[in-house]
Amino acid sequence: MKQVRLLLLRHGECEGGAILRGRVDVPLSDKGWRQMSAAVAAQATVCHGIYSSTSKRCAEFAKAFAAELHSSASVGISLDAPAPLPLKVNLLEELQEIAFGDWDGCLLDDLYQQDGERMAAYWQDPWAVSPPNGETMASFEARIDGAIEQILNKEFAQLALDDEQAHGECNANVPTANIWVLTHGGVIRHLMARALGAVRTVGFYSQLTLPVAAVVTINVLEDKHGTRYWRLDWPSGHGD
């Protein structure tokens, strides 16, 4: 059994105010940078890979995060030891938020005033109603599923290679890769729905609170036959 742990990080607060952000490419605010920095700092785990949406609000932080990890890994390395290789950020357009078409980048208050009925219907059942000239939910979900399969295939292949190179060594733990995926609220909600077996459940997206800079962990296990099992890792308290 092998495991890929997907650490799904939603971007932090952005510039631009209360607008609908799909493909509109706005940067993080200073507060957003601090939010994401705090989110990754709270995860005491070794990083084996970073993937990111190509949107500025994800990609710019992903690059800075990778550089910081590389700098930290270089501390304490002796002069005779080989320098650690920089951690590469894999930028994937397929990890972008859904395209909201004519609504993209508009103030939410204006949208509700101008097209409130359609907006309400969309949030309630996005599989039945699409934004004007926007991406359908079916297309969006297929795009995200393809991106995640690409990531999982690559990381499970690397785990298999590492296991083969370490053949003969005793390891009681399940080989695990911790992979950061910096992306958007809609993307993470879909992956949570998939892990819970709630795909295309009307009302799921609108009822699921997911704050900016939230971290959601999904563990994907693969058995010797290549069958994969998704598990949403709910935080659990162990205190008195």
Side-chain angles (χ1 to χ4, degrees):
M1 191 76 76
K2 298 183 291 293
Q3 178 177 244
V4 172
R5 179 175 294 121
L6 298 173
L7 296 136
L8 308 170
L9 173 60
R10 187 184 182 190
H11 61 79
E13 179 188 271
C14 300
E15 300 286 357
I19 62 174
L20 190 59
R21 294 177 181 84
R23 296 298 179 82
V24 59
D25 206 8
V26 294
L28 292 170
S29 65
D30 290 341
K31 181 178 179 181
W33 274 89
R34 294 194 298 272
Q35 290 169 332
M36 295 184 77
S37 296
V40 297
Q43 300 290 327
T45 185
V46 176
C47 175
H48 299 100
I50 301 176
Y51 293 81
S52 174
S53 160
T54 51
S55 297
K56 289 179 181 178
R57 55 194 186 273
C58 298
E60 291 179 350
F61 182 85
K63 294 173 184 177
F65 179 37
E68 182 180 348
L69 288 175
H70 176 64
S71 177
S72 299
S74 300
V75 174
I77 299 294
S78 69
L79 295 177
D80 297 330
L85 295 174
L87 191 61
K88 179 185 176 183
V89 177
N90 300 278
L91 297 175
L92 299 179
E93 290 186 1
E94 293 83 358
L95 289 174
Q96 288 187 345
E97 183 60 279
I98 192 168
F100 289 113
D102 294 348
W103 292 347
D104 221 327
C106 297
L107 289 168
L108 288 168
D109 286 347
D110 291 347
L111 286 173
Y112 277 110
Q113 290 179 12
Q114 298 166 8
D115 205 3
E117 186 174 336
R118 185 167 180 170
M119 283 278 289
Y122 175 71
W123 295 130
Q124 179 59 31
D125 188 356
W127 296 277
V129 180
S130 298
N133 297 312
E135 188 175 14
T136 66
M137 186 59 75
S139 175
F140 169 69
E141 292 180 334
R143 168 165 63 81
I144 300 309
D145 287 340
I148 293 301
E149 288 307 303
Q150 178 183 341
I151 292 171
L152 291 174
N153 289 342
K154 179 179 177 180
E155 297 304 331
F156 275 119
Q158 185 60 51
L159 280 174
L161 180 61
D162 293 344
D163 186 53
E164 182 179 321
Q165 292 174 345
H167 183 68
E169 295 183 13
C170 181
N171 185 1
N173 298 319
V174 175
T176 300
N178 298 311
I179 306 300
W180 282 94
V181 180
L182 282 69
T183 186
H184 308 268
V187 175
I188 297 175
R189 285 184 173 93
H190 168 62
L191 295 175
M192 292 177 72
R194 179 174 169 181
L196 292 170
V199 174
R200 297 201 176 192
T201 299
V202 173
F204 183 87
Y205 278 35
S206 59
Q207 294 173 10
L208 184 64
T209 299
L210 188 69
V212 292
V215 178
V216 174
T217 303
I218 293 178
N219 294 316
V220 184
L221 294 160
E222 183 180 85
D223 63 21
K224 63 181 180 180
H225 304 294
T227 302
R228 293 173 183 169
Y229 307 88
W230 285 46
R231 295 178 180 174
L232 186 62
D233 187 9
W234 293 103
S236 57
H238 299 288
D240 294 330

